[in-house]
Amino acid sequence: MNAVWLVMISVSIVFAMFTGNLEAFTKSIFEGAKSAVEISLFLLGIVSVWMGITRILEDSGLIYRIAHLFKPLVSRLFRNVPDDHPSISAMTLNILANLFGLGNAATPLGIKAMQELDALNPEKGTVTFEMMVFIVLNTASIQLIPFSVIGLLASYGAKNPAAVVLPVLVATLTSALAALAILFAFRKVFK
């Protein structure tokens, strides 16, 4: 991937030199870098807040109550995972973070859930069906309220940044259901 970026940057520099736009090219590089830092700090704030909330949820024991609410759904999807296993809490937190559009905050929770699921794996180094289901759910990332997207749109001055809520919900729910249907169909065909 580094080679691809190097080629793209090199071609851009050569093109800017031949078209006489080297000054505009240099200016846009610095503006892009400034914008990237601002967006990164903004997203870091969102991730920090969510990670703090998840820590409070864990320390207060509230996560177990929330996990209990999701238990019927999670138990149906993950039939081979014991109800009291730590992976249930990690998966629940991951799903909640994704529901609120905080995919960056969901990543460490997803890693923890996969580690906990791997602890149940009799064949280390292979992927179990439960791991596949979790990967599909995590990748599809059903979003009820995409806070990160709304925040980015608001920071760029969108008139109605919340207009993306329904389209994002429909798109992510559709993709998750389609991916799960394909996964379960493949499981039946290729036992």
Side-chain angles (χ1 to χ4, degrees), residues 73-74 76-79 81 86-99 103 105-118 127-142 176 179-180 183-184:
L73 175 65
V74 174
R76 260 198 154 142
L77 286 172
F78 303 97
R79 295 179 188 195
V81 177
S87 63
I88 297 292
S89 297
M91 288 187 289
T92 302
L93 279 172
N94 177 275
I95 291 167
L96 288 173
N98 282 327
L99 274 174
T107 301
L109 300 166
I111 292 169
K112 183 178 180 184
M114 287 299 280
Q115 289 170 340
E116 296 292 345
L117 286 171
D118 193 44
V127 178
T128 64
F129 183 72
E130 285 71 25
M131 288 176 166
M132 286 187 244
V133 171
F134 180 68
I135 290 169
V136 165
L137 279 177
N138 189 39
T139 304
S141 180
I142 300 170
L180 284 172
L183 181 62
F184 279 95

Side-chain angles (χ1 to χ4, degrees), residues 3-177:
V4 171
W5 283 109
L6 181 63
V7 169
M8 287 174 54
I9 291 171
S10 300
V11 168
S12 299
I13 291 171
V14 170
F15 187 76
M17 286 173 39
F18 282 120
T19 59
N21 292 323
L22 195 57
E23 183 178 333
F25 176 76
T26 306
K27 184 179 176 184
S28 68
I29 285 176
F30 288 112
E31 287 175 1
K34 177 185 173 194
S35 178
V37 168
E38 289 171 352
I39 290 171
S40 296
L41 289 173
F42 174 76
L43 291 176
L44 178 66
I46 290 173
V47 171
S48 298
V49 166
W50 182 252
M51 292 306 293
I53 290 170
T54 58
R55 185 59 155 192
I56 291 168
L57 289 173
E58 282 181 317
D59 290 347
S60 69
L62 191 58
I63 187 57
Y64 300 108
R65 291 182 184 174
I66 294 171
H68 185 69
L69 292 174
F70 280 85
K71 190 183 260 187
L73 175 65
V74 174
S75 296
R76 260 198 154 142
L77 286 172
F78 303 97
R79 295 179 188 195
N80 294 331
V81 177
D83 290 341
D84 59 343
H85 196 267
S87 63
I88 297 292
S89 297
M91 288 187 289
T92 302
L93 279 172
N94 177 275
I95 291 167
L96 288 173
N98 282 327
L99 274 174
F100 293 111
L102 302 169
N104 294 331
T107 301
L109 300 166
I111 292 169
K112 183 178 180 184
M114 287 299 280
Q115 289 170 340
E116 296 292 345
L117 286 171
D118 193 44
L120 295 172
N121 190 355
E123 297 177 38
K124 302 294 183 211
T126 61
V127 178
T128 64
F129 183 72
E130 285 71 25
M131 288 176 166
M132 286 187 244
V133 171
F134 180 68
I135 290 169
V136 165
L137 279 177
N138 189 39
T139 304
S141 180
I142 300 170
Q143 293 188 14
L144 185 61
I145 304 170
F147 284 125
S148 297
V149 174
I150 291 171
L152 286 172
L153 288 172
S155 71
Y156 280 109
K159 291 181 181 178
N160 186 8
V164 299
V165 171
L166 184 61
V168 167
L169 176 62
V170 170
T172 57
L173 188 60
T174 304
S175 66
L177 292 175

